[in-house]
Amino acid sequence: MNPADDTPLSTAMASYQWFVLVGCLMLARGLWGTPIARLPFTSAIIYLGIGMLLGPMGLHFFSFDVFAAAPLLEVLTEVAVLISLFSAGIKMPVPFSLRRWGPPIRLAWTAMALSVGLITLFCYTVLDLPLGAGVLLGALLAPTDPVLASDVQLRHAGDDDPLRFTLGCEAGMNDGSAFPFVMLGLGLLGLHDLGENGLRWLGVELIWGTLGAILIGGACGMALARVNFWLRASRPGHEVLDDLMGLGLIAVVYGLGLAAHVWGFLAVFVAGVALRQAEQQLARRAAVAVGPDAPPSVSDGSLLFKEHMERLSELTLVLLLGGAVTTLLFDWRSWAAALFLFFVARPASVLVALVGSRTSPRMRVIAAWFGVRGIGSLYYLMYAINHGLPQPLAQQLVNLTLAVIVLSILVHGTSVTPLLDRFWRK
């Protein structure tokens, strides 16, 4: 390998070797799905370990420059997060109730804001970063990840486990609630217009960005449910491709969200929730009117395909992440940021946010610990870099963010199964 090669993916591996490597990992995951699922750690740790073994930390077969690959990586992580958010949305239990959704809403908004504040304070006072960089790093690291947190999220559409529901719903919503803080950090760094006294940020990005996303996602999800129900009920022999309709809904909702300047991630998650809720309501009405033979639903038909896409994106992106790991990522600043996030910011914000909620002490403690960081944080980082983040500061944030993601995959990935078996599943 030539050290002077400045391409995003510097590698001595030929194209056929990449196909063989990824193909073997996919075959292994498919053939030994049950044994792998029973291991005391997640599959992401396996992908990360293989990437680190083949990357600069090991055999040096390839290296991945995150900063140079920022434009491509933003698109890849964006697509991965969108599919994961929609998949999480259509697995939310029916019917919707504010009592049930109260704890995850607290986590996605109150705990999110508290985490950003605590991380900002730590970065400003301990890491000596500018205030805007502290807010930005807080927005990158505060949200939990919908792609890598499958072990603590709902397993299927009928799963009503309260812990998995709370953590899965939080991961679905806080990818939208983090964006206003990303823009606030960029604005404090002079890279985004916050308006006079921050009023533009407050009115457009925080309030409209959130409410508009809920309106657009909810309207589109309910509309597709009604169109699908009418089409299949009126034309029983008509073939409908659920996978394409699901992907089409993601694309339309996200595109409309971008055009309306609302948070598209939140809109896609809400669209999945609204689609599932509306389909179940229509199915219950049809069962009362004409019997139990209700038309199939888009959410059920497309869920399996979306889960396969999630696994593929997890494998690819975590493998590349392993190739981006170097010894430079693990200086005292990276360790300090990770330890502060895992043992102070996340637990404190969750426990405060859930005060007075209808959650058990055991559930609060487990939720305070399980906040895996991953592909979502990587997307926000690429978004900030592509919006003009100065290179010296960007490199610091790259080192801090990648180190926290890697440590989160290792720490949370090795503790999720033992802790859930010991303290929750029993």
Side-chain angles (χ1 to χ4, degrees):
M1 181 184 299
N2 182 6
D5 190 355
D6 59 356
T7 57
L9 187 61
S10 302
T11 177
M13 294 176 62
S15 297
Y16 78 89
Q17 292 174 311
W18 279 105
F19 278 105
V20 171
L21 173 62
V22 174
C24 287
L25 290 175
M26 293 172 64
L27 286 172
R29 185 67 179 90
L31 290 172
W32 288 284
T34 300
I36 290 176
R38 291 174 178 170
L39 293 174
F41 48 82
T42 61
S43 57
I45 293 181
I46 299 175
Y47 308 145
L48 179 65
I50 294 174
M52 293 177 66
L53 175 64
L54 300 179
M57 292 283 288
L59 301 176
H60 215 278
F61 285 166
F62 80 101
S63 63
F64 188 67
D65 188 339
V66 172
F67 188 86
L72 173 63
L73 200 54
E74 180 181 351
V75 175
L76 294 178
T77 53
E78 187 175 29
V79 172
V81 173
L82 286 171
I83 292 174
S84 182
L85 290 174
F86 184 75
S87 177
I90 59 180
K91 286 187 285 188
M92 291 296 109
V94 180
F96 174 88
S97 68
L98 288 177
R99 179 178 177 179
R100 175 184 284 178
W101 282 64
I105 290 175
R106 289 179 180 223
L107 293 181
W109 298 96
T110 306
M112 162 69 68
L114 292 173
S115 294
V116 172
L118 290 172
I119 296 171
T120 301
L121 180 63
F122 177 81
C123 292
Y124 187 74
T125 57
V126 177
L127 302 185
D128 198 27
L129 289 175
L131 179 62
V135 174
L136 180 58
L137 186 63
L140 300 180
L141 299 180
T144 56
D145 189 68
V147 181
L148 301 183
S150 59
D151 289 280
V152 290
Q153 292 184 7
L154 296 178
R155 306 290 177 81
H156 49 79
D159 191 352
D160 60 355
D161 181 90
L163 176 64
R164 289 199 293 268
F165 164 70
T166 299
L167 294 177
C169 190
E170 178 201 7
M173 289 190 290
N174 67 15
D175 278 286
S177 61
F179 253 119
F181 295 103
V182 172
M183 305 313 295
L184 178 60
L186 292 175
L188 293 174
L189 291 171
L191 302 175
H192 179 69
D193 181 19
L194 299 177
E196 186 176 357
N197 298 320
L199 292 178
R200 183 184 184 278
W201 174 82
L202 179 65
V204 175
E205 276 142 10
L206 184 60
I207 298 176
W208 165 243
T210 301
L211 296 180
I214 295 173
L215 291 173
I216 291 174
C220 291
M222 288 189 291
L224 178 60
R226 293 182 180 277
V227 169
N228 170 70
F229 188 86
W230 171 81
L231 188 61
R232 281 172 152 159
S234 60
R235 301 180 180 181
H238 185 75
E239 182 180 5
V240 175
L241 303 180
D242 295 317
D243 292 337
L244 285 181
M245 284 203 295
L247 291 173
L249 180 61
I250 294 173
V252 169
V253 170
Y254 193 60
L256 291 176
L258 295 178
H261 302 289
V262 303
W263 304 125
F265 281 177
L266 180 60
V268 168
F269 174 73
V270 173
V273 175
L275 174 66
R276 180 70 182 175
Q277 299 284 325
E279 286 180 335
Q280 294 301 303
Q281 290 178 1
L282 293 171
R284 285 196 297 269
R285 294 175 186 173
V288 173
V290 299
D293 297 327
S297 64
V298 177
S299 56
D300 287 335
S302 64
L303 182 57
L304 183 61
F305 175 73
K306 303 297 182 299
E307 290 180 341
H308 291 332
M309 294 289 289
E310 279 187 280
R311 293 192 181 100
L312 178 59
S313 62
E314 176 191 15
L315 186 158
T316 305
L317 292 171
V318 176
L319 183 66
L320 292 178
L321 180 64
V325 175
T326 66
T327 55
L328 296 177
L329 298 183
F330 297 99
D331 61 3
W332 74 269
R333 296 159 63 90
S334 301
W335 283 97
L339 292 175
F340 180 81
L341 174 64
F342 299 159
F343 294 101
V344 179
R346 169 70 180 183
S349 61
V350 168
L351 294 177
V352 171
L354 293 180
V355 169
S357 66
R358 297 176 179 271
T359 53
S360 66
R362 177 181 297 182
M363 180 173 170
R364 296 181 194 182
V365 171
I366 296 177
W369 171 245
F370 287 125
V372 63
R373 271 65 182 173
I375 307 306
S377 297
L378 197 57
Y379 168 75
Y380 303 129
L381 177 62
M382 299 303 101
Y383 181 91
I385 291 174
N386 293 328
H387 280 73
L389 201 62
Q391 183 167 357
L393 179 59
Q395 194 60 56
Q396 292 184 60
L397 297 187
V398 166
N399 291 343
L400 289 168
T401 304
L402 292 189
V404 170
I405 293 174
V406 170
L407 290 172
S408 179
I409 291 174
L410 294 174
V411 171
H412 293 115
T414 54
S415 61
V416 56
T417 300
L419 289 181
L420 288 181
D421 285 341
R422 181 176 178 84
F423 296 108
W424 184 254
R425 289 170 183 157
K426 287 185 179 181

